[in-house]
Amino acid sequence: MKIAVVGATGLVGSMILRVLEERNFPLDELIPVASERSKGKEIIFKGSKYKVVTPDEAIAMKPDIALFSAGGVTSTEYAPKFAEAGTTVVDNSSAWRMDPDKKLVVPEVNASVLSSDDKIIANPNCSTIQMVVVLKPLHEKYKIKRVVVSTYQSVTGTGVKAVDQLNNERSGIEGEKAYPYKIDLNVIPQIDVFMENGYTKEEMKMIQETNKIMGDDSIKVTATTVRIPVMGGHSESINIQFENEFDLKEVREILSKQEGIVVVDDPANLKYPMPLDAHDKDDILVGRIRRDETQDKTLNLWVVADNLRKGAATNAVQIAEYLLREKIVA
């Protein structure tokens, strides 16, 4: 089993390598891939050194699966080339997510849509992933009509440049900026570019991807996405209106039984999810579970997850694990 990691030297690529090692993914050969300027660099995986190769070199090595985390431009150019060579691509960029011919997959929600015909599989947006894992079992039980979500997203979602900006600002150092404004001691109500309708691209991703993953366009979603000066993970305040009545105790039980979710909901003892708790974990933490007392059949939740792990790297590796387990890739 040959596995290529495209973008192996980046934040998410490095995390993919960590997750592959932690989960003891059954690979025989690792192919770390990055741009021409990183060619020849060495990465350590399971105590062994591997030299970084270019995408063209990796294609010639015919990996079975390629886990992409190198940005949309690279994915648009190279994912089809890998696919043509017989490789199954799991892509972490936004390049293929809304392509009607490509599957958009969160394993706990819709892995069953995958088949051997799927040579390019899209990994959803980080903020969408943690939300739909929570929505899925609740939709099955109570049928969701509408979702209102506001996000509080870590600077790690932007990348190393944003992490450096935050650290520099906290240290009083002038440096390169990832954002048009200061991020330390501030929040920026813009993630990605603005669209004609006044929403940002990130907000529209959450709306459109949720419908595609859930396989139900009747679910109405509206989103506001915000960047905050933390590095542990993304947080979301989610308001869910159902068609059917629910019981709070039953909601907690349903969520507790859902794969990948840990319920942290004990306000009497000040127990609720925070980014610090989610950092470096694969679990999606859910708390502040309560009724919206202004509207019938409506629930409020607080959801936190590490955006580099379940929001990106772990989800991609879980897709690869599913492909092997179901013998879609052998």
Side-chain angles (χ1 to χ4, degrees):
M1 178 59 56
K2 290 185 187 179
I3 302 294
V5 177
V6 182
T9 57
L11 264 184
V12 176
S14 299
M15 185 61 74
I16 288 173
L17 292 168
R18 269 190 62 191
V19 173
L20 286 169
E21 184 166 347
E22 288 172 5
R23 297 172 76 93
N24 199 26
F25 188 92
L27 60 88
D28 302 301
E29 185 177 344
L30 176 71
I31 306 170
V33 187
S35 63
E36 186 71 42
R37 66 178 178 273
S38 296
K39 180 181 177 179
K41 284 185 179 178
E42 289 186 337
I43 62 109
I44 307 292
F45 180 78
K46 289 191 172 182
S48 298
K49 292 180 180 179
Y50 295 83
K51 285 196 173 180
V52 171
V53 301
T54 65
D56 289 310
E57 289 172 325
I59 291 167
M61 297 167 78
K62 295 190 178 299
D64 298 286
I65 298 173
L67 304 175
F68 267 64
S69 185
V73 173
T74 299
S75 294
T76 301
E77 180 180 356
Y78 280 103
K81 293 180 180 179
F82 274 85
E84 285 170 17
T87 301
T88 299
V89 172
V90 180
D91 180 46
N92 200 58
S93 80
S94 61
W96 307 100
R97 289 175 186 160
M98 295 314 298
D99 185 321
D101 297 324
K102 305 293 186 291
K103 306 290 173 54
L104 184 64
V105 175
V106 177
E108 299 91 333
V109 179
N110 68 333
S112 61
V113 300
L114 291 173
S115 74
S116 57
D117 294 330
D118 298 306
K119 301 309 288 183
I120 299 176
I121 302 162
N123 208 36
N125 187 40
C126 47
S127 48
T128 306
I129 289 173
Q130 68 189 71
M131 182 170 75
V132 296
V133 174
V134 173
L135 295 183
K136 176 68 172 177
L138 298 178
H139 184 52
E140 288 177 346
K141 180 67 178 178
Y142 307 115
K143 191 160 175 56
I144 295 171
K145 290 175 65 177
R146 183 171 187 256
V147 176
V148 182
V149 57
S150 298
T151 72
Y152 307 73
Q153 295 181 223
S154 163
V155 294
T156 56
T158 305
V160 173
K161 190 175 171 182
V163 174
D164 289 344
Q165 178 180 339
L166 176 58
N167 287 331
N168 285 341
E169 288 171 354
R170 288 185 176 171
S171 303
I173 298 169
E174 283 295 324
E176 194 176 10
K177 294 188 180 298
Y179 305 117
Y181 301 103
K182 182 181 177 184
I183 185 61
D184 190 32
L185 298 176
N186 193 26
V187 298
I188 301 174
Q190 176 194 351
I191 298 179
D192 215 320
V193 297
F194 280 100
M195 314 294 283
E196 287 186 8
N197 63 358
Y199 287 78
T200 65
K201 195 172 180 181
E202 181 85 355
E203 290 158 355
M204 294 310 298
K205 285 178 193 173
M206 290 196 75
I207 294 165
Q208 294 164 352
E209 290 179 21
T210 298
N211 290 139
K212 184 172 180 178
I213 296 163
M214 299 285 285
D216 192 340
D217 289 338
S218 73
I219 300 172
K220 298 186 185 304
V221 183
T222 188
T224 301
T225 58
V226 180
R227 190 71 68 190
I228 64 171
V230 302
M231 286 187 272
H234 290 350
S235 304
E236 297 176 349
S237 171
I238 308 176
N239 179 272
I240 311 166
Q241 182 183 10
F242 299 108
E243 283 193 10
N244 302 309
E245 190 51 82
F246 62 87
D247 175 77
L248 280 177
K249 183 180 178 182
E250 186 178 50
V251 166
R252 291 187 180 94
E253 288 174 357
I254 289 169
L255 293 174
S256 296
K257 291 175 181 175
Q258 172 67 21
E259 180 188 354
I261 289 178
V262 173
V263 173
V264 184
D265 189 46
D266 184 8
N269 292 297
L270 309 185
K271 300 291 185 184
Y272 34 71
M274 295 181 291
L276 282 173
D277 303 321
H279 179 60
D280 221 17
K281 294 183 176 70
D282 290 327
D283 295 321
I284 296 165
L285 309 181
V286 184
R288 299 298 317 278
I289 301 169
R290 63 209 188 278
R291 285 186 178 274
D292 179 343
E293 296 184 345
T294 69
Q295 185 164 259
D296 289 341
K297 304 171 187 171
T298 303
L299 181 72
N300 281 311
L301 299 170
W302 178 252
V303 177
V304 182
D306 187 317
N307 54 292
L308 293 183
R309 290 187 69 103
K310 182 53 183 170
T314 302
N315 199 75
V317 173
Q318 286 174 318
I319 292 171
E321 288 172 341
Y322 181 86
L323 294 173
L324 294 190
R325 188 166 61 247
E326 297 301 315
K327 295 181 171 52
I328 294 170
V329 172

